[in-house]
Amino acid sequence: HVRNYTMGDVVARYKMAQGFSVLHPMGWDAFGLPAENAAIERKIHPGTWTRENIANMKAQFRPLGLTLDWSREFATCDPEYYGQQQAMFLDFLDAGLVYRKAAVVNWDPVDMTVLANEQVEDGRGWRSGAVVERRELTQWFFKISDYSEDLLDALDGLDDWPAKVKTMQANWIGKSRGIEIDFHLTAPVEGVDAIPCYSTRPDTLHGASFIAISPDHPLSKALEAEDPAVAAFCVEARKGATTEEAMEKAEKLGHDTGLRVKHPADDRELPVWIGNFVLMEYGTGAVFGCPAHDQRDLDFARKYGLDVRNAFYLPGSSKDVADEALVPPKTEKVRYVSHFAGIQEASSLEAIETTIDWFEEHRLGRGMTRYRLRDWGLSRQRYWGCPIPVVHCDSCGVVPEKKENLPIELPEDVTFDRPGNPLDWHPSWRQVPCPKCGDAARRETDTMDTFVDSSWYYARFTAPRALTPTQAKDAEYWMNVDQYIGGIEHAILHLLYSRFFARAMQICGHLPESAVEPFDALFTQGMVTHAIYQGTNQAGRKEYYFPEEVDLKDGGAFLKEDGREIEIVPSAKMSKSKRNVVNPMDIIAKYGADTARWFVLSDSPPERDVEWTDAGAEAASKHLARVHRLAMEIAGAEEGDSSQDEALLREMHKTIQDVTNGVESFGFNAAIAKLYAFANTLGRSKASSKARREAVATLAQLMSPMTPHLSEEIWQALGKTGMVTAAPWPVADEAMLVEDTVTLPIQINGKRKSEIVVAKDLARAEIEAMALADDQVQKALAGNAPKKLIVVPGRIVNVVI
RNA sequence: GCGGGUGUGGCGGAAUUGGUAGACGCACUUGGUUUAGGUCCAAGCGCCGCAAGGCGUGGGGGUUCAAGUCCCUCCACCCGCACCA
């Protein structure tokens, strides 16, 4: 978080200096919670988020040079915000965008926000995640799956999003074009007479040699009840499929049910197997196996001695599949064998479409497009969250709360002394009259997933205190978000949910049509990491040490306590257990916010991780102190002129250009390198104090997005009026960027050997003459004429010998 | 397996997009200041070599007057997804 908020702030300040109005939301977690507020971290609920606490938080932000307007975190516990969210929920309900259905959930009896932290210390009490039950509950869902196609298609228009994020979302939505084919059993079983199978490769149906169904398939369950062998297999198969690692290595196991189905397009009968690799959650929970064109099916067929028959061959070949399935790219032309629709040579892509048409025509199958994306379950059996504004009435059923009764606020007098949702135990909160009939009824105690809060905060920021979720003219004016900065961890859920929410809000009239893609540009920044110091203790177990327990010398790390050398694992994600977490407030206390910002931006490109090192922070701090000293010295100097002025000012304009380009392109580290270089130049310059004043003022301006405090101080010391933040961004003077003379490197056969200094617009013939007269060139030529002489004006000379 | 990405000094990383590779910073070395350490200041610092010179952007090949950058090929590492039918 440190990094994305810092970067966001830099971009915002830069844009302000460019003359833009900036709406720049900032979260309280920008620099983490201060240590003395650790209690807040443990007990996050509205009672803690008093106005006083929020004011306190804002006060802590100001010295960091960060602006704080709102945050999606305290939005979660701010009735002013979640009241609007509840209003929107009711709109969504009207529009059919949210619905209830039964679903199996992993029910965690522990409200992890509070209880887990309370009681985990002694290792005995309730621990979040320790006693998870699978329960079937009636849950609320957003109909995000209705927007699968749109959410997928619209990714194409997001030109300023990282390809990686778009790919991840596309994979998550998981569109596939295929067909559902009924395979009829030779004899009905338990009232079932056909097994529908989904396939994206109906063109290979000729090569089908078995049907595999999931152990969770209704047919498996039916057989399981009667046949102990099937039951044993299914129990084993389900067990194996639980852990991810096991799944990766898991062997393809099968159990022959003895049942047979008719092949829909020829006269064969295919065996029906239960396969541990078939997922009930995807497709129909049943597949036809085509060993010749699917490696998994081939392995399975070889193992159990099933048929392997090619549905197609590579053109000009009739080699049957042996140990490797034939899976050419779908765009490649192949030669089909006795295809039902009469296809001979075609690409799989063409053949699939033709096959689907043929099956539909003969009423043997149903072409369909499937998506992996499932509806978004938003119910949480938790205290901390936005209450779902509905009431359960014995006579009216589920009744939406009246809008005038919003916000439905969370009660503050709750206890966390037993597992489950505290709202369920509250003595009175649930008891409300039915909004419809007025009889006694019960309030819904599920709260909303906090992803709901974060799915529309950007829209709320456009009118944070409006009495409706948004205000048309403000939303129209501010949306879309020009630049969104965040971590890659939000690539799928948060960013997909937000895209859905913007669409849903548009349907309900809360956002303009132009805002259905809420984020124009996305940048995913790297994390701040820190080395881990690890050693082994007497018991032979791994132990981690805090940085302050370690001496760094001679490139190694040594324990202060006994001088023992320990291992350094560089650049690791911060984790409490690895003892490598850097508390941002400590950094602020030790170096100041400017240094923290300067260092975090300077060390590596923003999309990569940056390793926090004391040495690096120290260097940043020293440099900023040097700039400060230099500025104060210049501020106090006499005016005058010097022959060195032009050189300094030329350098200044070049720096303006480079830094501007750097900030524009998110090349903060390179921009900061230029600022270092320019500060060094300025420090050595013998220019007049007039020119140096101009230079240092510009330096302060160019640094101001990164080091607002220092820049303001310099600005003031120079006697400038107003704030540097409000001053217009400096513009490079084109004329000052063009040098009168240029240094041209001279290459001989492409290797740099020498250089000449020439006037900017010297004629080509003269440059050639000078190059040929060069000592190095003379020596290399040894009296001969060069084969070729290349002059790239202003760039380079290459002599080919 | 599929998808995305990255390989440049001891380290983090620059390179106006085909034109002086190693900017800037860290670490290190030397000198000055200081009682000393730190700070501060000056200088050095890709590799081999006393030097002249040679070699250098993961390996190999190619295009070009010129390649870190373009093309082909191989290798390594990181991230995401994954019995997805």
Side-chain angles (χ1 to χ4, degrees):
Chain A
H1 283 121
V2 171
R3 242 181 153 203
N4 68 346
Y5 289 118
T6 304
M7 284 173 56
D9 199 56
V10 169
V11 172
R13 284 171 189 277
Y14 169 73
K15 285 292 174 192
M16 282 165 73
Q18 292 250 305
F20 291 93
S21 321
V22 172
L23 177 62
H24 168 38
M26 177 67 68
W28 57 261
D29 48 355
F31 273 88
L33 282 167
E36 59 269 32
N37 278 354
I40 296 176
E41 207 177 344
R42 297 172 60 213
K43 281 202 173 187
I44 298 175
H45 63 83
T48 312
W49 287 105
T50 58
R51 293 200 183 284
E52 202 183 326
N53 270 330
I54 290 172
N56 179 28
M57 204 61 77
K58 286 185 178 177
Q60 282 169 1
F61 262 69
R62 244 169 259 132
L64 308 185
L66 300 171
T67 47
L68 175 79
D69 188 79
W70 199 277
S71 106
R72 54 173 207 261
E73 267 70 21
F74 65 71
T76 308
C77 36
D78 182 350
E80 207 178 317
Y81 180 82
Y82 70 58
Q84 298 305 328
Q85 190 165 298
Q86 288 165 345
M88 218 153 51
F89 182 93
L90 297 177
D91 292 343
F92 283 17
L93 201 55
D94 278 345
L97 290 158
V98 62
Y99 67 98
R100 270 175 113 222
K101 72 170 179 193
V104 176
V105 297
N106 290 323
W107 187 77
D108 188 342
V110 176
D111 189 317
M112 76 176 184
T113 53
V114 181
L115 195 63
N117 287 314
E118 284 294 311
Q119 301 209 2
V120 86
E121 299 288 54
D122 64 3
R124 300 194 63 182
W126 292 94
R127 186 188 291 262
S128 179
V131 200
V132 176
E133 289 173 42
R134 283 176 68 80
R135 283 197 181 184
E136 188 166 302
L137 299 173
T138 304
Q139 302 266 286
W140 290 93
F141 287 86
F142 285 121
K143 271 205 104 18
I144 188 170
S145 64
D146 275 4
Y147 298 83
S148 301
E149 183 73 38
D150 185 31
L151 289 167
L152 181 68
D153 287 349
L155 286 172
D156 277 342
L158 301 175
D159 297 330
D160 292 319
W161 278 43
K164 180 179 184 173
V165 174
K166 289 193 276 186
T167 314
M168 283 166 76
Q169 291 210 357
N171 291 343
W172 189 258
I173 295 167
K175 178 178 181 173
S176 70
R177 171 78 182 149
I179 191 168
E180 206 172 281
I181 301 170
D182 288 333
F183 286 80
H184 291 275
L185 287 158
T186 48
V189 180
E190 308 275 335
V192 179
D193 68 350
I195 302 173
C197 293
Y198 176 69
S199 171
T200 57
R201 292 304 299 268
D203 61 316
T204 66
L205 188 64
H206 178 74
S209 54
F210 64 95
I211 299 293
I213 61 176
S214 165
D216 297 316
H217 193 275
L219 189 56
S220 304
K221 288 188 170 165
L223 293 171
E224 203 177 348
E226 291 172 5
D227 185 343
V230 172
F233 177 81
C234 288
V235 166
E236 201 53 39
R238 285 186 203 116
K239 208 189 286 171
T242 46
T243 74
E244 270 177 52
E245 237 175 275
M247 241 155 62
E248 210 167 297
K249 294 169 198 154
E251 212 182 338
K252 313 288 174 268
L253 297 176
H255 181 89
D256 189 352
T257 60
L259 303 175
R260 295 290 178 270
V261 294
K262 284 175 265 186
H263 189 289
D266 62 36
D267 49 13
R268 282 184 294 144
E269 284 185 5
L270 307 178
V272 178
W273 287 66
I274 300 172
N276 67 343
F277 57 90
V278 184
L279 303 173
M280 194 57 219
E281 298 81 48
Y282 191 84
T284 59
V287 296
F288 71 78
C290 178
H293 305 295
D294 183 298
Q295 192 60 46
R296 185 197 57 202
D297 292 348
L298 183 60
D299 295 344
F300 189 79
R302 290 290 181 228
K303 180 166 178 162
Y304 294 106
L306 299 162
D307 274 357
V308 178
R309 50 165 70 199
N310 279 51
F312 56 75
Y313 294 93
L314 292 177
S317 156
S318 48
K319 206 174 133 222
D320 283 326
V321 161
D323 293 328
E324 205 169 313
L326 176 60
V327 193
K330 283 186 186 172
T331 47
E332 210 170 277
K333 277 208 187 295
V334 292
R335 184 173 58 82
Y336 283 88
V337 280
S338 47
H339 190 281
F340 353 95
I343 297 169
Q344 307 226 309
E345 211 167 271
S347 74
S348 300
L349 236 37
E350 298 159 351
I352 289 167
E353 281 312 311
T354 311
T355 311
I356 291 174
D357 290 348
W358 187 88
F359 270 80
E360 288 197 320
E361 217 172 281
H362 291 78
R363 299 184 174 279
L364 291 169
R366 303 165 290 278
M368 57 173 63
T369 302
R370 272 185 187 278
Y371 299 90
R372 207 188 72 115
L373 182 66
R374 240 78 57 69
D375 278 336
W376 167 16
L378 67 116
S379 296
R380 294 290 179 274
Q381 294 73 52
R382 283 272 174 73
Y383 168 72
W384 183 43
C386 172
I388 294 172
V390 299
V391 172
H392 299 270
C393 172
D394 286 336
S395 35
C396 308
V398 178
V399 185
E401 186 54 88
K402 288 179 186 158
K403 274 197 180 175
E404 58 264 33
N405 292 341
L406 303 183
I408 307 302
E409 293 198 41
L410 286 170
E412 297 198 10
D413 54 336
V414 287
T415 54
F416 296 94
D417 52 1
R418 57 174 156 163
N421 184 351
L423 296 178
D424 286 335
W425 316 133
H426 193 277
S428 59
W429 188 77
R430 299 187 69 177
Q431 320 303 326
V432 286
C434 169
K436 206 167 169 184
C437 68
D439 286 354
R442 298 169 314 282
R443 200 180 280 302
E444 170 72 66
T445 56
D446 279 1
T447 53
M448 297 186 204
D449 178 6
T450 54
F451 269 117
V452 179
D453 306 87
S454 58
S455 291
W456 73 288
Y457 71 104
Y458 51 87
R460 179 66 181 171
F461 289 156
T462 63
R465 271 158 282 277
L467 299 174
T468 46
T470 58
Q471 209 118 63
K473 82 174 162 36
D474 294 315
E476 187 80 51
Y477 177 79
W478 286 109
M479 290 297 287
N480 299 344
V481 175
D482 294 289
Q483 181 66 60
Y484 201 36
I485 300 172
I488 190 71
E489 71 273 17
H490 290 133
I492 295 173
L493 295 181
H494 167 57
L495 288 167
L496 193 60
Y497 290 161
S498 294
R499 295 178 62 220
F500 161 72
F501 237 76
R503 284 164 170 75
M505 287 176 73
Q506 191 270 323
I507 289 165
C508 299
H510 297 304
L511 277 179
E513 188 132 2
S514 55
V516 292
E517 278 305 335
F519 311 127
D520 280 349
L522 172 69
F523 189 92
T524 51
Q525 97 291 5
M527 292 179 299
V528 180
T529 62
H530 192 273
I532 295 172
Y533 306 108
Q534 65 180 31
T536 317
N537 65 13
Q538 279 86 347
R541 286 174 59 185
K542 220 171 236 179
E543 220 171 37
Y544 302 96
Y545 307 97
F546 290 112
E548 54 268 27
E549 296 177 279
V550 175
D551 262 335
L552 294 177
K553 58 185 180 194
D554 311 325
F558 302 85
L559 267 188
K560 279 180 184 166
E561 197 185 1
D562 54 12
R564 199 148 47 91
E565 179 160 14
I566 52 172
E567 199 188 334
I568 304 175
V569 181
S571 203
K573 186 176 176 174
M574 291 188 187
S575 132
K576 274 180 193 162
S577 64
K578 302 278 166 68
R579 302 197 160 177
N580 69 334
V581 175
V582 177
N583 179 354
M585 293 316 281
D586 293 344
I587 299 169
I588 309 288
K590 192 167 172 190
Y591 301 103
D594 280 356
T595 295
R597 293 163 61 107
W598 182 261
F599 172 67
V600 146
L601 292 164
S602 71
D603 208 48
S604 58
E607 66 274 17
R608 284 195 217 171
D609 289 349
V610 57
E611 180 170 1
W612 181 273
T613 60
D614 266 342
E618 204 74 60
S621 173
K622 280 179 195 170
H623 177 75
L624 295 184
R626 207 149 42 223
V627 170
H628 182 251
R629 255 198 325 273
L630 181 63
M632 293 309 131
E633 177 207 314
I634 292 173
E638 298 294 313
E639 305 271 327
D641 286 300
S642 157
S643 59
Q644 303 289 304
D645 289 5
E646 195 183 320
L648 179 63
L649 294 179
R650 277 185 184 282
E651 200 55 43
M652 181 186 90
H653 283 280
K654 205 167 163 355
T655 306
I656 294 173
Q657 193 189 29
D658 289 346
V659 172
T660 304
N661 290 342
V663 175
E664 289 275 356
S665 63
F666 280 77
F668 301 118
N669 56 328
I672 287 178
K674 300 290 179 196
L675 289 166
Y676 263 104
F678 182 57
N680 292 341
T681 303
L682 179 57
R684 292 195 189 99
S685 172
K686 296 282 183 290
S688 70
S689 52
K690 185 177 161 208
R692 292 166 77 218
R693 284 177 80 93
E694 189 182 340
V696 82
T698 303
L699 177 65
Q701 277 187 284
L702 295 178
M703 287 172 69
S704 69
M706 298 92 166
T707 58
H709 310 93
L710 175 62
S711 292
E712 294 294 354
E713 195 167 333
I714 294 173
W715 196 249
Q716 200 174 51
L718 291 169
K720 300 274 187 184
T721 49
M723 289 182 78
V724 73
T725 307
W729 191 252
V731 178
D733 179 352
E734 290 291 333
M736 294 291 273
L737 295 175
V738 184
E739 301 277 352
D740 296 336
T741 60
V742 288
T743 304
L744 289 184
I746 298 179
Q747 293 182 334
I748 296 173
N749 291 339
K751 300 259 178 199
R752 183 188 168 279
K753 295 289 174 177
S754 179
E755 60 183 38
I756 50 174
V757 178
V758 301
K760 169 185 65 158
D761 40 14
L762 193 68
R764 182 179 289 259
E766 286 181 63
I767 295 174
E768 287 181 6
M770 281 180 75
L772 289 175
D774 184 85
D775 285 350
Q776 291 285 340
V777 175
Q778 286 285 315
K779 205 171 113 191
L781 281 172
N784 300 316
K787 267 194 202 144
K788 210 168 182 181
L789 187 57
I790 288 140
V791 177
V792 184
R795 275 279 154 79
I796 205 163
V797 179
N798 193 6
V799 185
V800 185
I801 292 170

